Amino acid sequence: MWSLKKSIFIDRRVGEVYQFATNPKHWYQWYAGLSEAENLKGRGGKSTSMDLMYFFFGRSLELHLIVVENGRIEEGYVWRCLISGAFDGNQTWKYSPVENGTEVQFEMDYDLPGSIFGKVANTLYIKKLMNNSMEQTLQNLKDISESD
């Protein structure tokens, strides 16, 4: 299992960033490579589930996602999900108030089966692409959240 951790500061109040970012109807607008949700059941709260396509490394990967936690922690919020399908994983997003803005912390643990990319794929290259994809995702969230 691989792990990925990233964070970014967004110049917007924590409640506003959290409300926008946890609404699955908006994800395709800022999450790099993600399609609009299909078979959506829920609005992003606990037990929300959906099917998604994730476009990565020239392939479209079918995924199923279920939200396992969404709520307040301390002064901020946490959102957590489980992913299954073309690869298995989990994501945790934490939204914390910092200096009149929001710190978004992202963590992901995932398994990419060799069958997705074949034996030729270099795992270090795939890790680098995942890292770049998440940097772009966080930057997209920042750009949209900070726009008026």
Side-chain angles (χ1 to χ4, degrees):
M1 184 156 287
W2 297 345
S3 293
L4 181 60
K5 294 181 181 183
K6 297 271 176 206
S7 65
I8 197 165
F9 174 80
I10 297 177
D11 190 15
R12 195 72 158 205
R13 290 192 338 242
V14 67
E16 294 175 83
V17 175
Y18 163 78
Q19 288 297 323
F20 176 77
T22 59
N23 183 338
K25 291 185 178 181
H26 299 303
W27 293 347
Y28 76 97
Q29 297 172 4
W30 58 271
Y31 199 110
L34 199 65
S35 70
E36 289 188 63
E38 295 182 10
N39 304 316
L40 176 61
K41 294 177 182 134
R43 292 190 232 159
K46 188 174 180 179
S47 299
T48 295
S49 67
M50 69 206 74
D51 297 319
L52 301 158
M53 295 296 289
Y54 181 56
F55 301 96
F56 179 73
F57 202 62
R59 300 199 137 170
S60 52
L61 307 175
E62 293 182 16
L63 302 175
H64 180 74
L65 182 145
I66 186 163
V67 178
V68 294
E69 183 178 3
N70 185 351
R72 248 190 177 312
I73 55 165
E74 300 162 10
E75 295 180 21
Y77 302 89
V78 66
W79 182 94
R80 198 178 323 265
C81 75
L82 297 177
I83 302 165
S84 60
F87 64 86
D88 294 330
N90 62 73
Q91 290 187 0
T92 301
W93 294 76
K94 292 183 181 174
Y95 304 87
S96 305
V98 205
E99 302 173 9
N100 298 322
T102 303
E103 179 183 31
V104 177
Q105 295 174 317
F106 167 83
E107 293 182 32
M108 181 174 181
D109 295 315
Y110 58 98
D111 275 324
L112 294 177
S115 61
I116 291 178
F117 303 108
K119 295 178 182 178
V120 183
N122 180 330
T123 57
L124 294 176
Y125 184 66
I126 300 299
K127 283 183 178 182
K128 180 68 174 163
L129 288 175
M130 287 292 281
N131 186 60
N132 291 347
S133 176
M134 286 319 304
E135 284 181 8
Q136 184 61 57
T137 292
L138 289 170
Q139 188 61 50
N140 291 346
L141 179 59
K142 177 181 176 69
D143 291 346
I144 290 173
S145 295
E146 290 180 350
S147 67
D148 289 329

